[in-house]
Amino acid sequence: MSTTTATTATKTTTTRTTGRRGSILLGEHIPRITAVDTYDIRFPTSREMDGSDAMNPDPDYSAAYLVLRTDSGDGHEGHGFTFTIGRGNDVQVAAIEALRPHLIGRPVAELCADPGSVSRALIGDSQLRWLGPEKGVMHMAIGAVVNAVWDLAAKREGKPLWQLLADAEPEWLVSQVDFRYIADALTPEDALELLREGRHGAAERRAELLRRGYPAYTTSPGWLGYDDEKLIRLAKEAVADGFTQIKLKVGADLDDDIRRMRTARAAVGPYIRIAVDANQRWGVAETVEWTAALAEFEPYWLEEPTSPDDILGHAAVRRAVAPIKVATGEHVQNRIVFKQLLQAGAVDILQIDAARVGGVNENLAILLLAAKFGVPVCPHAGGVGLCELVQHLSMFDFVALSGTVQDRVIEYVDHLHEHFEDPVVVAAGRYAAPRSPGFSAQMRPGSIAEFSYPDGAFWAADLADRKEVTA
Amino acid sequence: MSTTTATTATKTTTTRTTGRRGSILLGEHIPRITAVDTYDIRFPTSREMDGSDAMNPDPDYSAAYLVLRTDSGDGHEGHGFTFTIGRGNDVQVAAIEALRPHLIGRPVAELCADPGSVSRALIGDSQLRWLGPEKGVMHMAIGAVVNAVWDLAAKREGKPLWQLLADAEPEWLVSQVDFRYIADALTPEDALELLREGRHGAAERRAELLRRGYPAYTTSPGWLGYDDEKLIRLAKEAVADGFTQIKLKVGADLDDDIRRMRTARAAVGPYIRIAVDANQRWGVAETVEWTAALAEFEPYWLEEPTSPDDILGHAAVRRAVAPIKVATGEHVQNRIVFKQLLQAGAVDILQIDAARVGGVNENLAILLLAAKFGVPVCPHAGGVGLCELVQHLSMFDFVALSGTVQDRVIEYVDHLHEHFEDPVVVAAGRYAAPRSPGFSAQMRPGSIAEFSYPDGAFWAADLADRKEVTA
């Protein structure tokens, strides 16, 4: 694994000039990508039971992280990552490294003027494609790289990504979308029309966004590993903090879930929305039974009841559990499955994730599909850095596509933001619009140094301790 | 990457006793898994244009290969692999290595008595699951490991895998299947009934299989990179060899496809089935148009017209192109997508692949689903070693599940069989039933040594040559 020392990741470091130099054309230096440095970063979150749910009892929130470096001399780098929950983060890093040859030597200006060209080149690699296609480890790696290109592009433009997208010409945005396999539901012409409509009133909405932010909901009270006392305390705090929706993890034990749901409802009162999240625990029949048992506490949406691959299963669930809404998406692999969830009437709420699919370009396709079908998007976030990324996509959607925040909320979890250079700001139950240039993807060099696995300061000490205990 | 020298992969080598030793219980030595050795093996097939199609112009057929070693002293090893087409084979090897901790130290007898326990442990790893779930690189790695366990189990039983499966009690086979996410279409009770019914006449079918083999079709004439003269010659040879079905790759250029299809039909006459395979090239509308243009030449089935993820797309295509049959499956990621293809009436023919899904256990689920829905299974093969593996699954299906070969054929491609210890035998258009113990998965040590990447003899010389050319 080719990694450099973590300190070279800081924005203030002089850009390195190793690797292939820009070629000389008509005497002009053309800045190029000179390095794709990768980092295996893991946070020991499993020790506090943060993030515990019915399928993920012990996550160590991690990032397979990359930095695109250039020889442009402007100090800008592109940062991107895949979120994982621990083991396998090294496999994810290896997948990012397999994409390196597509990047090294590419002219920076061309790349940033057309991130879609990177997306197409990576997805279209005729040999790597076999490992997906467009799903799992390889596709998440593509998402990390594509997002790093957008981070670099937004920094060079001097705009936060949401604003770069909201300011872009509809024709250019359409050129950034891969319509392959979705044109039966959304044509380029459909997309252009939606984006042109989205421009009406965009200036007013932009001002409103900057003034008021974007609505959030919080999952922090509801992790499965928390006891009732902690659930009550955190749920009340959430309401006091201005959130109008919280979320509870369910699916491990029905009696526990009934008690926790009753407890939460009593803690927040009748007017706060409580979503429940089963994290794929059930099949169709179990979902219907379990949800019926929780219905008296009026769950607002039922999230990930079953496999993210089961489009027809979600459609059957939705017919059975109405008026409780069905939500899914954080593990949905690509736009093709999102398309079908919409075509089959399988979801009330579509939950995009910034780092699961093939990056910003594919999320543009998904936001356009959702707009076409009139289904609200309520992004998945949490993990490490997912809040930082996904806020940009929802804010673009509000300003320049769907034009509304009606029934739309971005998930918020108050973990690990301190590791980012430009962390999210959530106050009074709303995300403040980021103002710094970029995709808010950049981790602090100190955090990278401490939590790099297995050689960072934290893990080196931890692994040495464990050796001692074993010895 | 922890690999041993290739020569230790030979069956005749004394089993190594490195790694964790069998523990001592009541004075008895319990044989355990001592090593999971991995190999990145690549064959330079792209140079001959073998295997070229509309989406895969330049495959280097490869295997992310593993060997399970034990300290049982009986000389048996478990061999398994994921098939890839070149770049990224290293990522696939890294994924297999991430599974190693689940294997090392496990008692061999327990493992082989219940390969389903391995399958469940690997799929259920609470952190690795995030990288799928049950799809792409991680899931293919699980398939490779699970298949290696079955190879070991069959060798220990002294039976070819198809026979081990056909001889097994229906109750035990049902215990090997993961019904999670498919129970809405196939319950354990359904599966038991199908397997009990499958036993009627099994002895006669087994005798017939040993006598006559299993029908095959051949893709060798139809690669996109071949010129018309080669197409005609190979198509005529296929008919002379006893094949009653051939397959043509299509999807790059319509005029070419019309000419090639006319050429092939003229070469083989009206009674030989010609399947066409678009390798995911199209969307729904293009599929319908393109297929209409080829209809006069009576293609038997239309394979992989569009994304393997597009269940509803395949259903729309099938409605539009009937009576031409729709076939897919080689890139279908898991049983959950196969279930929906059947539920949606999206396919006439289901094409399992031995090394794409989670191994034998998941393929049992898929064969049971196909039997329940009455859809014929015509496996995908070719690549490297895929014919060797998948024949066992179809032969089990014939002897002890569906009980028929009606409209069922296994793909055959005559590449790279010479690298296997127990290569397929195809004569008069039929696969002969393997008689050697195991899953026919074991590659010759000389082949592993020569084609290991990048240090095997072939690649070391090749990479040195390329350096010279560049210098």
Side-chain angles (χ1 to χ4, degrees), chain A residues 112-422:
Chain A
C112 292
D114 185 11
S117 68
V118 186
S119 170
R120 280 189 298 276
L122 300 180
I123 289 172
D125 182 300
S126 63
Q127 295 186 351
L128 292 176
R129 194 178 179 283
W130 193 269
L131 302 180
E134 302 190 57
K135 59 181 65 76
V137 167
M138 248 2 275
H139 200 50
M140 293 193 283
I142 290 171
V145 169
V146 167
N147 283 347
V149 171
W150 283 95
D151 181 55
L152 181 59
K155 285 171 179 167
R156 284 166 53 94
E157 286 281 307
K159 293 179 180 177
L161 181 74
W162 67 266
Q163 191 186 328
L164 180 148
L165 293 171
D167 290 349
E169 289 301 322
E171 290 76 8
W172 183 79
L173 286 171
V174 170
S175 80
Q176 294 302 301
V177 171
D178 183 356
F179 290 91
R180 177 172 264 185
Y181 306 138
I182 59 169
D184 54 328
L186 177 82
T187 64
E189 295 71 31
D190 295 337
L192 194 59
E193 196 183 319
L194 288 163
L195 288 161
R196 284 182 178 157
E197 267 174 38
R199 303 197 94 175
H200 298 298
E204 292 74 20
R205 286 191 298 276
R206 191 189 148 188
E208 190 192 329
L209 175 71
L210 287 167
R211 199 171 57 243
R212 302 200 53 219
Y214 195 104
Y217 76 95
T218 177
T219 304
S220 295
W223 300 110
L224 214 52
Y226 290 173
D227 62 28
D228 288 3
E229 184 276 324
K230 191 165 183 179
L231 164 60
I232 294 169
R233 178 168 55 79
L234 293 176
K236 290 190 169 181
E237 279 177 24
V239 176
D241 287 346
F243 290 99
T244 57
Q245 179 177 329
I246 64 169
K247 189 163 80 184
L248 250 62
K249 299 291 183 173
V250 296
D253 180 275
L254 181 56
D255 289 337
D256 280 352
D257 285 350
I258 292 172
R259 192 194 71 252
R260 293 171 65 249
M261 193 68 192
R262 176 179 293 124
T263 303
R265 179 54 77 203
V268 302
Y271 304 116
I272 299 292
R273 288 175 173 173
I274 306 179
V276 296
D277 183 356
N279 290 89
Q280 313 167 28
R281 182 68 182 223
W282 306 315
V284 172
E286 275 172 293
T287 301
V288 175
E289 282 166 39
W290 205 292
T291 309
L294 298 177
E296 65 172 300
F297 309 110
E298 296 186 36
Y300 175 60
W301 78 49
L302 169 64
E303 179 171 332
E304 280 209 306
T306 190
S307 165
D309 308 343
D310 199 351
I311 295 147
L312 302 179
H314 278 89
V317 163
R318 182 167 177 245
R319 286 190 296 272
V321 306
I324 298 168
K325 295 179 190 297
V326 172
T328 198
E330 73 179 81
H331 273 85
V332 169
Q333 65 206 32
N334 59 34
R335 70 198 177 286
I336 306 154
V337 176
F338 276 112
K339 173 192 78 170
Q340 294 173 86
L341 287 166
L342 294 166
Q343 288 175 318
V347 287
D348 297 282
I349 284 154
L350 199 149
Q351 300 178 300
I352 60 169
D353 178 287
R356 167 77 54 187
V357 300
V360 171
N361 299 77
E362 189 157 32
N363 267 320
L364 283 175
I366 297 163
L367 289 171
L368 284 160
L369 281 164
K372 168 94 185 279
F373 283 82
V375 168
V377 172
C378 297
H380 170 247
V384 53
L386 298 181
C387 300
E388 276 69 18
L389 296 186
V390 86
Q391 60 178 340
H392 289 273
L393 301 174
S394 280
M395 290 175 189
F396 153 71
D397 178 69
F398 169 56
V399 174
L401 179 52
S402 75
T404 178
V405 293
Q406 183 69 41
D407 288 330
R408 284 152 170 89
V409 275
I410 304 172
E411 185 167 20
Y412 174 63
V413 187
D414 58 0
H415 299 153
L416 306 175
H417 302 291
E418 65 277 18
H419 299 296
F420 286 84
E421 293 281 4
D422 184 27

Side-chain angles (χ1 to χ4, degrees), chain A residues 58 126 181 280 309-310 339, chain B residues 58 126 181 280 310 339:
Chain A
D58 59 351
S126 63
Y181 306 138
Q280 313 167 28
D309 308 343
D310 199 351
K339 173 192 78 170
Chain B
D58 58 350
S126 64
Y181 306 138
Q280 312 168 30
D310 199 351
K339 174 192 77 169

Side-chain angles (χ1 to χ4, degrees), chain A residues 11-16 29 31-32 68-78 108-109 112 152-153 155-157:
Chain A
K11 272 166 93 176
T12 56
T13 305
T14 310
T15 305
R16 301 189 318 157
H29 169 73
R32 295 178 186 270
L68 299 176
R69 301 185 202 280
T70 81
D71 58 4
S72 64
D74 61 6
H76 294 313
E77 302 166 342
V108 177
C112 292
L152 181 59
K155 285 171 179 167
R156 284 166 53 94
E157 286 281 307

Side-chain angles (χ1 to χ4, degrees), chain B residues 288-303:
Chain B
V288 175
E289 282 167 40
W290 205 291
T291 309
L294 298 178
E296 63 172 302
F297 309 109
E298 296 186 37
Y300 176 60
W301 78 51
L302 168 64
E303 180 170 332

